Amino acid sequence: MIRWIIIGVAVVLLLWLVAGYNKLVRAANKVEEAFSTMDVYLKKRFDLIPNLVETVKGYAKHESETLDRVIAARNAAGSAKSAEERMVNEAAISGGLRNIFALAESYPELKANENFLDLQGQLQKIEEDIANSRKYYNATVRIFNDTVMTIPTNLIASMFHFEKKPMFEAADAAERENVKVSF
């Protein structure tokens, strides 16, 4: 009788371990899928940047420093080794794009250029998609981190080395500030 109780407890513990491990694996896979989805939109933006920079160069030749910073941020994002590094570099690209669009305000003929307007529209759409994919990524990371940090799955997470994942956050103060609009 004691033998069956011990076997029953062992089976219950094994089932609990398997269920907890599977829950962690599913949550980790959702985080990876969310990051990959966001990465697709970041790649689209990455591919549009050279076209935008070339269009702006024709109108704003003496603004090359701004354009060079955007290209440098793009190249850094392309060579990022980790998700955290990629997130920081992507924030730099966002800041550079804001500078390019602000620069366009100084050049009325650029603002009226069809190619520039088309690229600007495409980038604005992609930025919306990136923002939505960041929300999704952060939601899946929150769920994963909750699972890793709460009892009893935190015991399984520590046994199998599941670690808390970083959220995608605004990297610099400029991204947190309100845009100043004046007429």
Side-chain angles (χ1 to χ4, degrees):
M1 181 68 164
I2 300 257
R3 181 185 211 190
W4 289 109
I5 292 173
I6 291 172
I7 290 173
V9 168
V11 167
V12 168
L13 284 175
L14 182 63
L15 290 174
W16 170 78
L17 182 69
V18 168
Y21 180 81
N22 287 341
K23 183 177 183 178
L24 286 162
V25 168
R26 279 191 299 277
N29 287 339
K30 283 184 180 181
V31 169
E32 287 179 28
E33 181 260 339
F35 190 84
S36 294
T37 299
M38 184 174 46
D39 200 40
V40 167
Y41 294 118
L42 295 173
K43 172 82 170 95
K44 282 182 180 180
R45 179 175 70 175
F46 186 84
D47 292 342
L48 281 175
I49 289 173
N51 297 331
L52 181 69
V53 168
E54 286 304 314
T55 302
V56 174
K57 271 185 185 177
Y59 289 92
K61 290 181 173 58
H62 63 282
E63 302 287 356
S64 63
E65 183 181 319
T66 299
L67 302 175
D68 290 342
R69 279 196 307 256
V70 172
I71 292 297
R74 176 187 178 268
N75 293 339
S79 63
K81 303 271 189 275
S82 68
E84 292 84 1
E85 188 179 342
R86 178 76 185 258
M87 290 178 199
V88 169
N89 291 329
E90 290 298 336
I93 289 174
S94 294
L97 290 174
R98 273 194 310 276
N99 290 340
I100 285 179
F101 293 132
L103 182 69
E105 295 297 319
S106 304
Y107 296 90
E109 64 277 3
L110 175 59
K111 283 176 31 178
N113 178 286
E114 233 177 272
N115 191 27
F116 178 77
L117 292 174
D118 180 50
L119 290 168
Q120 185 179 27
Q122 288 180 48
L123 277 168
Q124 286 172 336
K125 173 68 173 117
I126 289 172
E127 289 297 325
E128 290 172 13
D129 293 339
I130 290 170
N132 288 331
S133 65
R134 285 178 179 170
K135 287 180 199 175
Y136 176 65
Y137 171 79
N138 282 343
T140 60
V141 166
R142 182 191 49 79
I143 292 167
F144 175 80
N145 289 346
D146 287 350
T147 305
V148 166
M149 297 171 68
T150 56
I151 295 172
T153 52
N154 67 337
L155 301 172
I156 299 167
S158 64
M159 283 176 20
F160 292 102
H161 307 289
F162 285 93
E163 295 179 6
K164 192 175 166 186
K165 306 260 187 203
M167 293 282 206
F168 203 113
E169 299 174 348
D172 60 7
E175 281 194 60
R176 297 178 194 273
E177 293 176 8
N178 288 334
V179 176
K180 188 174 184 177
V181 178
S182 59
F183 298 99

